[in-house]
Amino acid sequence: MKCKILISATALFFSLQTAKAQHKVDVCVYGGSSAGVIAAYTAQKAGRTVLLVEPGAYLGGLTTGGLGYTDIGNKYAIRGLSLEFYRQIGRHYGKFEQWVFEPHVADSLFQDYVKKGGFPVLYKHRLTTASTSNGAIKEIKLNAGGKTVTVSAKIFIDCTYEGDLMAKAGVSYTVGRESNDVYNETWNGVQLLDGHQFPDGVDPYKVPGDPNSGLLWGITPFPLAQKGSGDKKVQAYNYRICLTNDPNNMVPITQPDNYDPSRYELLARLFKAQPNRVTLSDYFIWSRMPNNKTDINNRNGFSTDMIGMNYDYAEADYETREKIIKQHEDYTKGLLYFCATDRRVPVPMQEEIKKWGYPKDEYVNNGHWSPQLYVREARRMKGAYIMTQANCTGEEVVTDGVGMAAYTMDSHNTQRLVIHKDGKDMVKNEGNVEVGGFPPYPVSYRALIPKEGECSNLLVPVCLSASHIAYGSIRMEPVFMALGQATAVAADLAIAKNIPVQKVDAAQVSSILARNPLADGRQGDILMDNATASIQKEGEWKTVKGSGSYGTDMLAAEKNAKAIFRPEIAKTGDYTVYLYYPRLKNNAAVTNVKVVSGKKEQLVPVKADDVKVVGQTSGEWVKLGTFNIEKGNEAYVEISAGSSGEGLVVADAVIFVPEKR
C-alpha cells in the first residue's frame, strides 16, 4: 500500500462549501475519532445511509494525533476492522501487522475508509442542541461557522472523547473518580503511590522553606484526601509528541507562545533532587517511530502531563476548551524549549534534545503540531451496565460481551499537592495507578447503551459506562475502534427491527462480528488459540498464564512434546500461516514447526534471534509460509520440543489468513 499525506484542509473546504442546512440519514456518527470512522464505515457497509460529523478539522483522534506507540495489552482482544487497521499499517511498513506508526500513515488509512465507505463527513460542525421526544433523539443542531445545520437520524452514535451528544441528550453520566466503596473497588479514588512521582524532599514553595512565598506553578492547594475517596478531579491530559531527528525533515524547536520558564521550576528542582538522572529517557517516554520519529509520553514526577489543569474541560463549552487546549500546547512546547535552552537542564539531556525538531511532513496544516490533545478521560456514561474493577480482573464476567479489553488498569496523576512528611513540606503527585496482570476480558453491550427510558436510539462506544479505574483499562484506541464497529452493527439491527438499542440482542451483534469481521463480507482469518480451540497434545505441556501469551494462557514444554493445530477450513484456497511467538526471556533457541497440507510437508524452524517484538505487544506473529489448503480438516501445524531441553518451546496460537478474501 502506498501512503499519501492527505491534506485534511481540502476535505474541510469541500465539506463546508457543500454543507446542507438539513440532513436526514439512518445513522449519524458524532465525533470523527478512530471509533467514529470505523463506526461510520461499518454502518455504511451494512447498507445504511450515514453521516459522520466531526467538530474539529481532522479525523482519527489520538490514532492520527501522535499516539503511534499503541497501547494494546494483548493482541487477542483486538478483532475485526480494528485489527485490520493495524494489518494495513503493517502492509505499509512491509510487515503482517504493526502497532507503531507515523501519524500521517494513520491519517491516510482513515481517509481511505471514508473514500471506500462513500459516506459524507462534515468537518468543523459543532453540536449545539439535541432535541428529544419520547425518550429518543429526533434531531441535533450543529454550528458550522455561524450557520445552523440540522441532522435527523434513526440512530445516533457518540464517538467523541468528551461525550457531548450523550450529555445533550440528557443521558446520565459522571466526571471524576468514584470512591472505592461505590462499586466495591480498591484502585479507584485518591491514590498516593510511587509511579511517576517526586522523590522525597522537593520543596513546593517559591522561596524554599517559606510557605508565605506561595506555591510553585503546577501545585494545587488542596489537602490530601483519604485514600480511596472520590472526587470530581480528572486524570492529566498531555500531547503525544511527534518529533524527528532527521535534519532534512526538521523544523527547529523555538520559543513558543506565552513561554514562562517559571512553569518549569519544579523540573529544575527535580534535576537537583536526582542528579544521576540526566538523559531524555529519565524524564520522557521517548518511543521511537519509523522514519526517525517519536511518540513521546509522560514519565517521572514532572513531564508532559499538565497535571491539575483540565478539571473544567469535560463540561466546558467549545471556546473554553480551546483555551484549555492552547494552555496545554503552550506548556508542552515550552517544556521542550526549556529542556533545549535552560542552563539548569543536565548537559547530556540538553545535548540529546537539541538533535530533535518538529517533522515537516506531519500536521502540515497545523504548524507541524498535533491537533489532538490526549483527552484520557472526560465524561463517562452511567449506562445500563457499569464496567468496574471486578470486570477487569475477571471476578465478574459479563455474558453479553461485544468487544474485549486487555490493558492494565491505568490512571495518570490527577493532582500535584503538598504533603507533610518527616517534619517537612514536600511536593507529591497523586492519582497514578498501574495495576495489571489479568487476561483479556469482555466489554458488555449494556455498557455502550443508556439505561432504559433515558434514550432509545443512542450508542456510546468511547465515553462508555465504566468506573474511573475500569475505564482506565478499556480506554485504548484499538478497543475504541472495535467497540465503534460493534455499535454500528447494533445500530443496523435496531433499525432493521425497529427496536430501541436496549432491545438489541448482544449475542446477535457478537455473531455478526464473528461472521463478518471486515464488515464487507470478506472471509475472515481462522484463529486457533490454545485456550479456546481443540489442540492435539503429546508429551508434557504446561499451561502458563500471562507472561506474554496470546489470550489467557499458552502451552509450554522443554522437551519431548508435540502440539497439533488442525483448523476447519471452509473454503479451498491459499492461506498464509502465522505462528504466535511470545516475548519470553527463556524461549528455546529454535522452535521446530511443521506445516502439513495435503501431501506436502514443510519444516519451518523458528529461531529466537530472528523474532523481533516491536512496541508494547506481548509477542509477534511469525510467517510460516503460504500454502494451498483443501476444504476440511486435513491440514495442520505441528509444534514440537525435541529432547535437548534448552529453553521453552511455546504452543500458543496459529492463524490462517486467506490470500483471497
Side-chain angles (χ1 to χ4, degrees):
M1 180 191 75
K2 291 185 178 179
C3 176
K4 298 178 181 179
I5 303 174
L6 299 179
I7 310 300
S8 295
T10 302
L12 169 60
F13 176 80
F14 180 80
S15 174
L16 289 177
Q17 291 299 308
T18 59
K20 297 187 297 183
Q22 292 183 319
H23 296 264
K24 186 176 182 179
V25 292
D26 292 328
V27 179
C28 174
V29 179
Y30 186 69
S33 61
S34 59
V37 176
I38 295 300
Y41 177 83
T42 304
Q44 188 278 334
K45 287 299 178 183
R48 300 300 171 186
T49 56
V50 177
L51 179 67
L52 176 60
V53 181
E54 165 52 36
Y58 302 88
L59 295 180
L62 258 296
T63 300
T64 56
L67 205 167
Y69 194 72
T70 307
D71 299 310
I72 175 59
N74 193 309
K75 291 181 181 181
Y76 181 86
I78 308 306
R79 309 287 175 86
L81 287 171
S82 180
L83 180 57
E84 177 65 11
F85 175 85
Y86 296 98
R87 295 266 176 90
Q88 290 185 79
I89 292 285
R91 288 194 283 273
H92 174 80
Y93 291 112
K95 296 183 178 181
F96 174 47
E97 65 186 36
Q98 182 155 309
W99 306 76
V100 297
F101 51 87
E102 300 158 89
H104 75 265
V105 175
D107 178 68
S108 177
L109 291 180
F110 285 125
Q111 295 291 347
D112 281 347
Y113 276 115
V114 173
K115 183 179 179 181
K116 288 186 294 185
F119 51 85
V121 182
L122 301 183
Y123 294 84
K124 284 205 168 182
H125 281 57
R126 293 177 166 181
L127 180 67
T128 55
T129 61
S131 301
T132 61
S133 177
N134 297 322
I137 302 171
K138 293 304 179 185
E139 66 176 25
I140 61 174
K141 291 189 184 303
L142 309 165
N143 181 349
K147 178 183 177 181
T148 298
V149 175
T150 302
V151 180
S152 60
K154 296 173 183 176
I155 298 289
F156 291 84
I157 305 177
D158 186 343
C159 289
T160 62
Y161 293 116
E162 297 84 5
D164 287 338
L165 178 53
M166 171 186 72
K168 292 288 188 184
V171 172
S172 299
Y173 66 87
T174 188
V175 177
R177 304 179 286 187
E178 298 91 353
S179 63
N180 275 321
D181 57 7
V182 173
Y183 300 119
N184 193 29
E185 297 174 306
T186 55
W187 293 110
N188 210 331
V190 172
Q191 301 285 341
L192 184 64
L193 303 173
D194 296 331
H196 301 289
Q197 187 59 275
F198 281 86
D200 288 352
V202 177
D203 193 281
Y205 302 116
K206 292 179 179 178
V207 177
D210 182 6
N212 294 324
S213 64
L215 295 170
L216 289 175
W217 185 92
I219 304 174
T220 56
F222 306 122
L224 178 63
Q226 182 180 355
K227 181 179 180 179
S229 60
D231 56 31
K232 294 300 181 182
K233 299 181 177 71
V234 180
Q235 64 172 304
Y237 300 166
N238 73 342
Y239 278 95
R240 298 294 287 255
I241 310 166
C242 184
L243 299 181
T244 181
N245 62 356
D246 179 357
N248 297 317
N249 190 34
M250 185 188 299
V251 176
I253 294 171
T254 55
Q255 183 172 316
D257 295 342
N258 308 310
Y259 178 65
D260 182 355
S262 69
R263 292 175 181 164
Y264 314 103
E265 175 63 30
L266 267 177
L267 180 57
R269 293 188 186 182
L270 189 55
F271 293 147
K272 286 186 176 181
Q274 42 193 35
N276 294 325
R277 294 189 173 188
V278 296
T279 68
L280 282 176
S281 61
D282 287 321
Y283 296 90
F284 302 90
I285 298 176
W286 204 275
S287 301
R288 301 296 289 266
M289 297 295 103
N291 295 317
N292 303 303
K293 293 175 186 172
T294 66
D295 169 2
I296 301 170
N297 197 9
N298 182 82
R299 172 171 280 163
N300 212 324
F302 193 104
S303 186
T304 60
D305 279 0
M306 197 175 179
I307 300 172
M309 305 296 179
N310 61 341
Y311 297 160
D312 296 332
Y313 181 88
E315 302 275 34
D317 57 28
Y318 284 110
E319 291 72 23
T320 303
R321 284 182 187 165
E322 285 180 349
K323 293 177 183 178
I324 295 171
I325 290 168
K326 186 63 165 65
Q327 290 167 359
H328 280 74
E329 179 180 338
D330 291 346
Y331 165 79
T332 311
K333 289 181 174 178
L335 175 65
L336 296 174
Y337 181 73
F338 176 87
C339 290
T341 61
D342 197 279
R343 59 182 176 79
R344 294 169 290 179
V345 177
V347 172
M349 179 175 171
Q350 198 157 78
E351 291 297 318
E352 282 185 272
I353 202 168
K354 285 180 178 179
K355 298 175 183 177
W356 295 88
Y358 305 113
K360 290 179 182 178
D361 63 344
E362 299 290 355
Y363 316 123
V364 294
N365 297 307
N366 200 56
H368 310 289
W369 183 256
S370 172
Q372 180 62 62
L373 179 66
Y374 194 170
V375 179
R376 290 191 171 92
E377 187 176 349
R379 298 182 180 102
R380 302 188 311 280
M381 180 169 62
K382 297 177 74 172
Y385 181 86
I386 297 175
M387 300 288 293
T388 69
Q389 177 180 322
N391 297 116
C392 300
T393 59
E395 296 170 63
E396 184 175 327
V397 181
V398 300
T399 58
D400 63 338
V402 292
M404 300 191 80
Y407 203 73
T408 295
M409 289 184 290
D410 177 87
S411 173
H412 281 234
N413 278 304
T414 300
Q415 57 183 330
R416 181 174 287 143
L417 38 70
V418 179
I419 69 163
H420 192 76
K421 181 180 178 181
D422 299 330
K424 296 180 180 179
D425 286 345
M426 60 188 72
V427 62
K428 290 288 180 181
N429 295 332
E430 182 277 313
N432 188 86
V433 178
E434 298 170 71
V435 177
F438 42 81
Y441 58 91
V443 177
S444 171
Y445 172 69
R446 289 167 293 156
L448 311 179
I449 57 175
K451 290 179 283 191
E452 196 161 354
E454 286 198 343
C455 190
S456 62
N457 66 338
L458 175 68
L459 295 131
V460 186
V462 177
C463 292
L464 71 154
S465 180
S467 70
H468 159 71
I469 200 60
Y471 190 80
S473 171
I474 300 168
R475 63 164 185 86
M476 303 303 158
E477 290 288 293
V479 177
F480 284 156
M481 283 192 262
L483 296 179
Q485 183 176 1
T487 55
V489 170
D492 176 58
L493 290 173
I495 294 170
K497 298 183 178 184
N498 193 27
I499 56 175
V501 295
Q502 289 82 3
K503 298 299 183 184
V504 170
D505 183 2
Q508 190 173 359
V509 174
S510 183
S511 176
I512 291 171
L513 291 171
R515 293 196 319 268
N516 188 19
L518 303 180
D520 59 5
R522 286 181 291 162
Q523 183 182 358
D525 304 333
I526 301 169
L527 170 66
M528 298 194 72
D529 175 60
N530 73 284
T532 56
S534 178
I535 309 299
Q536 180 183 337
K537 294 177 285 186
E538 298 178 15
E540 293 190 14
W541 290 96
K542 294 182 179 180
T543 300
V544 180
K545 293 185 178 295
S547 302
S549 67
Y550 185 82
T552 57
D553 56 48
M554 57 189 165
L555 301 174
E558 292 186 299
K559 57 184 178 179
N560 300 326
K562 291 181 181 180
I564 294 176
F565 292 73
R566 190 184 298 273
E568 185 67 41
I569 301 294
K571 184 178 179 181
T572 298
D574 290 338
Y575 292 81
T576 301
V577 184
Y578 295 86
L579 167 77
Y580 193 75
Y581 195 91
R583 190 200 302 255
L584 291 174
K585 292 181 179 179
N586 54 341
N587 278 320
V590 178
T591 297
N592 296 307
V593 183
K594 180 168 65 175
V595 182
V596 177
S597 176
K599 295 181 180 180
K600 293 184 179 180
E601 183 176 301
Q602 183 171 330
L603 297 176
V604 189
V606 178
K607 299 178 181 179
D609 290 343
D610 293 338
V611 182
K612 307 298 180 186
V613 182
V614 179
Q616 294 194 54
T617 61
S618 55
E620 196 64 75
W621 289 108
V622 177
K623 183 177 179 179
L624 302 179
T626 300
F627 307 88
N628 185 265
I629 302 178
E630 295 289 332
K631 178 180 178 180
N633 59 2
E634 294 302 314
Y636 62 88
V637 174
E638 178 186 283
I639 303 169
S640 60
S643 58
S644 62
E646 296 178 358
L648 285 180
V649 169
V650 172
D652 193 354
V654 175
I655 194 167
F656 298 77
V657 181
E659 285 299 298
K660 292 184 179 180
R661 295 183 183 266

